[in-house]
């Protein structure tokens, strides 16, 4: 059974710092990996989706990489801002089709301080 | 932008009540999902629907049922609510049908408390 782990569970950094969030998964036979952001008490917002054939995806200050063979993904946030404070979740899709049913990690809670 | 709307932000129900959670999406998505989110356990899939009247069980379907009579609306039903169903419930949708792996778009969630 696929398991997705995110370490650390919580992270606090000063504004302006570049940071890396980690995601690992036990079964490398994934179809894609998606990073989400969740604000307190709210739903999830999709940030980036990486297909298994891709190595990375970029959107603004965010860059996500995927190393399928080692079962790892990282989300890089450049020049962090207080508005980046949120919980970041990664999720993997185990196979092609199936409507993209995802297995989620439990998230990294990020706080960016002034 | 895709909008996924969940009818209630907070709900408080009593044990044994029948509870309906409603979700509507406005982007003509074929796929709709119900997840629950609990501290330390993350998000877990309850049910998935890839077309009107079509459904698949997720990882934790026990105690739940679903209804999809119209493409834009997906309802989660707790037949007889229990305290262990207190949770944040999240609805999501994605484009395409069963054979696709498109991005998921989530609603804002319904925090359900069963007393």
């Amino acid at each position: 059974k696929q398991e997705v782990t995110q370490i650390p569970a919580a992270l606090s950094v000063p504004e302006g710092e570049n940071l890396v969030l980690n995601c690992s998964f036990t079964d490398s036979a994934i179809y894609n990996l998606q990073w989400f952001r969740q604000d307190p008490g709210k739903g999830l917002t999709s940030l980036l989706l990486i297909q298994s054939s891709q190595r990375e995806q970029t959107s603004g200050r965010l860059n996500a990489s995927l190393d399928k063979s080692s079962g790892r993904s990282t989300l890089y946030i450049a020049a962090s801002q207080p508005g980046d404070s949120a919980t970041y979740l990664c999720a993997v899709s185990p196979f092609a089709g199936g409507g993209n049913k995802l297995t989620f990690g439990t998230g990294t809670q990020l706080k960016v301080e002034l | 932008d895709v909008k996924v709307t969940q009818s209630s932000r907070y709900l408080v129900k009593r044990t044994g009540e029948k509870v309906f959670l409603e979700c509507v999406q406005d982007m003509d998505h074929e796929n709709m999902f119900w997840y629950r989110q609990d501290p330390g356990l993350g998000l877990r899939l309850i049910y998935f629907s890839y077309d009107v009247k079509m459904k698949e069980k997720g990882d934790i379907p026990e105690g739940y049922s679903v209804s999809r009579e119209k493409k834009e609306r997906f309802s989660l039903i707790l037949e007889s609510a229990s305290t262990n169903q207190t949770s944040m419930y999240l609805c999501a949708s994605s484009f395409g049908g069963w054979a696709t792996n498109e991005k998921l778009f989530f609603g804002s969630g319904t925090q359900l408390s069963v007393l």
Side-chain angles (χ1 to χ4, degrees):
Chain A
K1 184 187 171 187
Q2 177 75 269
E3 290 184 5
V4 181
T5 304
Q6 292 184 250
I7 295 173
L11 182 63
S12 183
V13 300
E15 182 180 13
E17 193 161 295
N18 302 325
L19 58 99
V20 174
L21 306 181
N22 297 297
C23 172
S24 61
F25 44 95
T26 54
D27 186 346
S28 62
I30 65 166
Y31 192 77
N32 63 39
L33 183 144
Q34 199 164 352
W35 281 94
F36 293 88
R37 168 188 172 134
Q38 185 175 30
D39 293 288
K42 299 286 180 64
L44 279 68
T45 301
S46 178
L47 298 173
L48 292 162
L49 184 149
I50 311 177
Q51 304 292 351
S52 61
S53 57
Q54 297 176 317
R55 299 284 270 182
E56 63 181 87
Q57 281 284 332
T58 298
S59 176
R61 294 182 294 109
L62 305 179
N63 176 276
S65 67
L66 174 64
D67 184 344
K68 207 175 91 158
S69 60
S70 68
R72 298 167 89 161
S73 175
T74 60
L75 180 67
Y76 175 83
I77 303 176
S80 57
Q81 303 169 358
D84 295 329
S85 298
T87 297
Y88 291 81
L89 298 103
C90 70
V92 298
S93 180
F95 49 78
N100 208 31
K101 292 191 284 291
L102 300 174
T103 300
F104 283 83
T106 51
T108 294
Q109 188 174 15
L110 172 66
K111 185 174 181 182
V112 180
E113 298 176 314
L114 290 167
Chain B
D1 274 357
V2 175
K3 192 163 185 184
V4 180
T5 303
Q6 295 183 231
S7 55
S8 302
R9 186 71 187 87
Y10 299 97
L11 271 181
V12 180
K13 297 291 182 181
R14 298 231 173 253
T15 302
E17 277 193 76
K18 189 169 186 175
V19 181
F20 292 85
L21 302 183
E22 306 286 348
C23 176
V24 177
Q25 50 90 8
D26 67 355
M27 283 301 292
D28 204 33
H29 283 175
E30 284 79 4
N31 299 324
M32 296 188 76
F33 307 79
W34 275 107
Y35 285 88
R36 65 177 279 178
Q37 183 176 29
D38 300 286
L41 295 176
L43 278 86
R44 293 176 291 168
L45 180 64
I46 305 171
Y47 264 100
F48 159 59
S49 169
Y50 52 94
D51 202 348
V52 175
K53 298 191 188 295
M54 306 303 287
K55 62 185 179 186
E56 274 189 12
K57 292 180 181 178
D59 298 319
I60 50 164
E62 297 78 18
Y64 303 94
S65 62
V66 291
S67 173
R68 185 126 181 243
E69 297 296 320
K70 292 186 177 181
K71 191 176 185 181
E72 67 270 19
R73 186 180 297 270
F74 192 34
S75 303
L76 180 70
I77 304 156
L78 286 66
E79 297 289 345
S80 177
S82 64
T83 55
N84 63 12
Q85 292 179 309
T86 291
S87 186
M88 170 71 95
Y89 289 86
L90 291 161
C91 175
S93 72
S94 70
F95 177 72
W98 193 91
T100 57
N101 292 85
E102 297 295 319
K103 274 188 187 180
L104 264 63
F105 295 86
F106 280 82
S108 298
T110 296
Q111 179 63 53
L112 173 67
S113 297
V114 182
L115 306 177

